[in-house]
């Protein structure tokens, strides 16, 4: 796979899956715009790693749940890196609670960050990609968006929404050679899974046929393929990286 000459914008890329995607795409030759919302120091560390690889990298601090900030982020990427060929929507949060205890703000904030952001970024980026008649948009959903999970009605709704949104947009943009696909990770070793207690981890592991958690690099490897010309006949697909949980 070769991404030389390509520019990728990755949301929530200061750590975890987003950071792994940024590094993987950079190793294949892409220049990277790293979005973060708060921890700019971590994002700068990732950018420096990319620069050490020999690729360009910029950090754009923006709240992706705010349309104006997203539009400026996309404009900045194109202005500073010269293009926008790949968009990976990875930013996401959890605010877990049982339905009857869930606060309205916890519902709204998760939907705004996880789902509204995908609408804003895809709309802004696709305007440019349509004119170029090429582009790759990769949206990170979750197995929870398919299977649901106790205490995660807000998160599940946001991730299920990403799937329906992506399939619709894939149909709209296909004639312009802008491909839209979804990666649905299972349980990946990130800060989110680190917060689980021992009992929760044992229950989850028992439901994974491969009997181990995935790594951010497992998702990044698929994101790299979907960003490349090797995936040119794939659009509107939901691909699980879950150790077999969705079988």
């Amino acid at each position: 796979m070769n991404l030389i000459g390509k520019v990728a914008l990755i949301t929530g890329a200061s750590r975890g899956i987003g950071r792994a995607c940024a590094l993987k795409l950079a190793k294949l030759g892409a220049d990277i715009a790293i979005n973060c919302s708060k921890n700019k120091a971590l994002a700068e560390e990732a950018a420096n790693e990319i620069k050490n690889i020999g690729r360009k990298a910029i950090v754009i601090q923006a709240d992706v749940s705010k349309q104006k900030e997203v539009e400026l982020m996309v404009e900045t990427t194109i202005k500073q890196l010269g293009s926008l060929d790949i968009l990976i929507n990875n930013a996401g949060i959890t605010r877990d609670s049982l339905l009857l205890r869930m606060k309205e703000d916890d519902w709204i904030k998760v939907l705004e960050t996880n789902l509204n952001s995908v609408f804003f970024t895809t709309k802004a980026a696709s305007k440019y990609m349509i004119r170029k008649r090429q582009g790759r948009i990769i949206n990170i959903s979750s197995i929870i968006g398919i299977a649901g999970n106790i205490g995660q009605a807000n998160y599940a709704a946001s991730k299920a929404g990403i799937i329906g949104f992506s399939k619709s947009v894939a149909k709209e943009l296909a004639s312009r050679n802008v491909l839209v696909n979804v990666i649905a990770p299972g349980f990946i070793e990130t800060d989110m899974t680190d917060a689980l207690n021992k009992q929760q981890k044992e229950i989850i592991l028992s439901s994974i046929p491969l009997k181990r958690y995935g790594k951010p690099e497992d998702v990044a490897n698929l994101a790299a393929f979907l960003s490349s010309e090797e995936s040119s006949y794939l659009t509107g697909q939901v691909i699980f990286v879950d150790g077999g949980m969705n079988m």
Side-chain angles (χ1 to χ4, degrees), residues 219-231:
V219 180
N221 289 336
L222 177 55
F225 170 70
L226 293 174
S227 298
S228 71
E229 285 303 312
E230 280 83 349
S231 67

Side-chain angles (χ1 to χ4, degrees), residues 20 64 75 83-84 87 110 113 127 143 145 147 156 162 193 201 218 220 227 242-243 245:
V64 290
E75 291 172 7
S83 183
L84 177 53
L87 169 65
V110 169
T113 303
K127 290 178 182 178
I143 191 171
I162 287 173
T193 54
K201 289 182 178 180
D218 294 322
S227 298
D242 64 357
M245 288 183 72

Side-chain angles (χ1 to χ4, degrees), residues 57-77:
I58 60 172
V59 172
I60 306 175
Q61 191 166 9
D63 182 346
V64 290
S65 70
K66 307 296 184 186
Q67 185 171 6
K68 295 298 183 183
E69 293 190 33
V70 167
E71 290 172 350
L72 181 59
M73 176 178 68
V74 169
E75 291 172 7
T76 301
T77 299

Side-chain angles (χ1 to χ4, degrees), residues 10 21 32 46 51 59 61 65 79 85 96 106 141 152-153 159 162-163 166 172 185 189 196 204-205 236:
I10 305 172
C21 288
I32 311 293
K51 291 173 184 176
V59 172
Q61 191 166 9
S65 70
K79 183 177 181 180
D85 307 287
D96 297 350
D106 291 338
S141 178
Q152 290 193 304
K159 293 300 186 177
I162 287 173
I163 292 172
S166 300
E172 293 182 17
E189 292 178 351
L196 299 171
I204 291 168
L205 281 174

